[in-house]
Amino acid sequence: MLIRNIIARSSKRFTARKLFSTSASDVMKPGPQYPKRIFSGIQPTGAIHLGNYLGAIAQWVKLQQQNEDMILSIVDLHAMTLPHEPKKLSENILQMTATLLGCGIDPEKVILFQQSAVPAHTELCWCLGCISTMARLGHLPQYKEKSKDMKDIPLGLFVYPVLQTADILIYKQVNKIQIVTPAVKSLYGFRSTHVPVGEDQVQQIQLCQELARMFNNRFGQTFPIPHSIITGTEYARLRSLRDPEKKMSKSDPDPKSRICLTDKPEDIARNVKKAVTDFISEVTYDPVLRPGVSNLISIHSFVTNKSVEEICTEATGLNTGQYKQVVADTLVSYLKPVQDKICRYLSDRQYLLDVLKEGSEKASEISERNLEEVRYKLGLKFKAKSESKSVGGRV
């Protein structure tokens, strides 16, 4: 996932202060100011699990409710960086569209679109790729992680961070009247677009910032410098049900390691029942000494909006087996309304196609306008006579 869904992961931890820090030259240097616009993307590669939902999609819904200017993309091109089945990818794109709508994303309030339907992404990717270096891309942790066991590494896996950067930069928003006073609005003010990410997902934003600055320095001010909106950090506590030392992940080969939004009630009950805990029957919260049962308490806490202390108090007198049943029943009740909506949207294929088509048209209008500026800056497009100086009767 970019955002969670499109952002390269880092093994290092960064504080919010460092993420949003601004140098003195950045603050005092006059230049165009950009209204805030949020972009995020999600890959259509399998069912969304509880961690994806709480940590990313639910956060997007909150931003939508705050009337933020937001663009969400189903980044299907990123789903092709590793071998895929074309028919399955098509199904997953519509499944993801239905899932986002079922979770509360409103296409009347945000732009929701299919990445591959907007050609500007790949054109800007090429332009940015021409100023990127192999050394920088090869240093990214996610590339190292995914390629370490590969004999033949796909080129797409190597360059996809540049496409992620293009995904973000192509949707800058510009005021009709550009303000040239010093940018001192706030730590991340109005000079940049914003990308919701988790604490461990900042490497791609850093690359995006580097490429934006590099382009601006070489070809003139063009892109805002995007910054992270750190969201859903508390949901990093969600762990695998089968191995609580690992994060819950849809790439885990064991389906019993996670709870997916579309799981049937019996599957939810089975997965919770088989969750790894320990030999202590009492329900107590201790992530270090009792990671398994603590993970179940965290899940229970998140879906009920109750504190860990409240959960443990309510579970007094229950053994872990009985408590697992409580958690399973709570999850089934919590997910049912979302599942019903997803099923309803999936039953109307034409509506899903219409949503993607309309969103892609809106995204194309914005991205093409911004790409025109890039083409001029790179010398790929000629200005009209009225915009250029005439030399020897020629423009």
Side-chain angles (χ1 to χ4, degrees):
M1 200 161 280
L2 224 180
I3 301 37
R4 125 267 102 149
N5 22 55
I6 63 168
I7 309 298
R9 298 185 179 277
S10 170
S11 58
K12 298 181 180 179
R13 298 182 67 85
F14 295 82
T15 63
R17 183 174 181 179
K18 182 174 181 180
L19 283 171
F20 298 121
S21 63
T22 306
S23 68
S25 61
D26 287 337
V27 172
M28 300 308 296
K29 184 179 179 180
Q33 306 235 346
Y34 300 90
K36 181 179 177 182
R37 169 172 282 159
I38 295 170
F39 175 89
S40 196
I42 188 167
Q43 287 193 38
T45 51
I48 294 297
H49 63 66
L50 194 62
N52 299 144
Y53 170 65
L54 294 172
I57 300 176
Q59 306 308 310
W60 299 343
V61 174
K62 289 179 182 178
L63 291 169
Q64 172 185 277
Q65 292 169 344
Q66 296 167 9
N67 296 317
E68 295 283 7
D69 181 356
M70 186 161 59
I71 298 176
L72 300 177
S73 178
I74 297 174
V75 287
D76 49 352
L77 294 176
H78 290 293
M80 296 170 57
T81 54
L82 295 174
H84 73 285
E85 298 179 19
K87 183 177 180 181
K88 186 65 176 176
L89 178 57
S90 297
E91 294 172 356
N92 285 345
I93 292 169
L94 293 183
Q95 175 77 39
M96 183 59 70
T97 306
T99 299
L100 293 175
L101 297 177
C103 289
I105 295 300
D106 185 349
E108 297 297 323
K109 296 181 179 180
V110 304
I111 295 176
L112 174 61
F113 75 101
Q114 182 180 347
Q115 178 194 33
S116 62
V118 181
H121 287 249
T122 50
E123 183 173 343
L124 182 58
C125 175
W126 176 259
C127 296
L128 295 173
C130 290
I131 63 172
S132 305
T133 66
M134 295 179 66
R136 181 66 180 92
L137 297 180
H139 190 64
L140 293 171
Q142 196 171 39
Y143 167 73
K144 293 180 178 179
E145 179 185 341
K146 289 190 174 184
S147 64
K148 63 182 179 181
D149 297 322
M150 290 184 176
K151 182 179 179 180
D152 298 314
I153 302 172
L155 180 60
L157 185 62
F158 186 74
V159 300
Y160 85 93
V162 182
L163 178 57
Q164 290 177 340
T165 295
D167 294 336
I168 297 166
L169 295 183
I170 198 64
Y171 291 107
K172 72 169 183 176
Q173 179 173 316
V174 184
N175 280 328
K176 291 182 179 178
I177 300 176
Q178 294 185 338
I179 304 171
V180 293
T181 52
V184 292
K185 291 287 185 181
S186 68
L187 284 175
Y188 48 90
F190 294 91
R191 292 194 64 195
S192 61
T193 55
H194 296 68
V195 185
V197 297
E199 260 186 333
D200 62 343
Q201 299 175 321
V202 297
Q203 283 273 322
Q204 172 54 30
I205 298 301
Q206 291 179 328
L207 176 65
C208 187
Q209 292 170 336
E210 291 173 15
L211 289 178
R213 290 191 180 100
M214 191 180 301
F215 191 98
N216 292 345
N217 289 337
R218 290 190 186 184
F219 305 110
Q221 179 62 41
T222 308
F223 297 115
I225 307 302
H227 288 273
S228 311
I229 299 176
I230 304 299
T231 64
T233 54
E234 63 273 29
Y235 303 111
R237 299 209 313 260
L238 287 183
R239 318 305 294 175
S240 163
L241 297 179
R242 300 299 295 163
D243 183 358
E245 297 300 318
K246 300 178 180 179
K247 291 180 67 173
M248 187 177 289
S249 171
K250 62 181 178 181
S251 62
D252 193 313
D254 187 353
K256 294 190 290 294
S257 68
R258 56 190 173 269
I259 301 295
C260 292
L261 260 60
T262 53
D263 280 348
K264 296 178 181 178
E266 57 267 30
D267 294 330
I268 294 174
R270 178 202 64 194
N271 292 356
V272 174
K273 182 179 179 180
K274 291 185 176 295
V276 171
T277 51
D278 51 43
F279 297 105
I280 303 173
S281 62
E282 186 180 1
V283 179
T284 58
Y285 186 79
D286 188 333
V288 176
L289 298 179
R290 305 191 68 196
V293 71
S294 297
N295 187 39
L296 293 177
I297 293 171
S298 292
I299 292 172
H300 195 182
S301 172
F302 291 143
V303 301
T304 59
N305 288 319
K306 295 180 180 179
S307 68
V308 165
E309 292 74 19
E310 288 178 290
I311 296 294
C312 291
T313 299
E314 293 177 359
T316 301
L318 299 179
N319 60 41
T320 52
Q322 294 169 325
Y323 179 63
K324 285 181 178 181
Q325 187 60 54
V326 172
V327 174
D329 292 342
T330 302
L331 282 170
V332 169
S333 299
Y334 177 78
L335 292 177
K336 189 177 187 310
V338 175
Q339 292 176 340
D340 290 344
K341 291 177 183 177
I342 292 173
C343 288
R344 191 160 62 247
Y345 284 118
L346 283 173
S347 67
D348 192 345
R349 177 186 175 89
Q350 189 57 51
Y351 176 72
L352 298 177
L353 294 173
D354 290 343
V355 166
L356 292 177
K357 181 176 183 293
E358 183 175 343
S360 297
E361 289 172 352
K362 292 177 180 177
S364 293
E365 182 180 353
I366 298 169
S367 61
E368 183 60 30
R369 184 168 60 245
N370 289 329
L371 192 58
E372 279 288 279
E373 181 183 0
V374 171
R375 291 171 182 146
Y376 278 121
K377 293 287 179 65
L378 293 175
L380 299 175
K381 190 151 188 171
F382 300 98
K383 293 183 178 182
K385 285 187 176 182
S386 58
E387 300 176 285
S388 304
K389 292 182 179 179
S390 178
V391 181
R394 295 182 181 181
V395 177

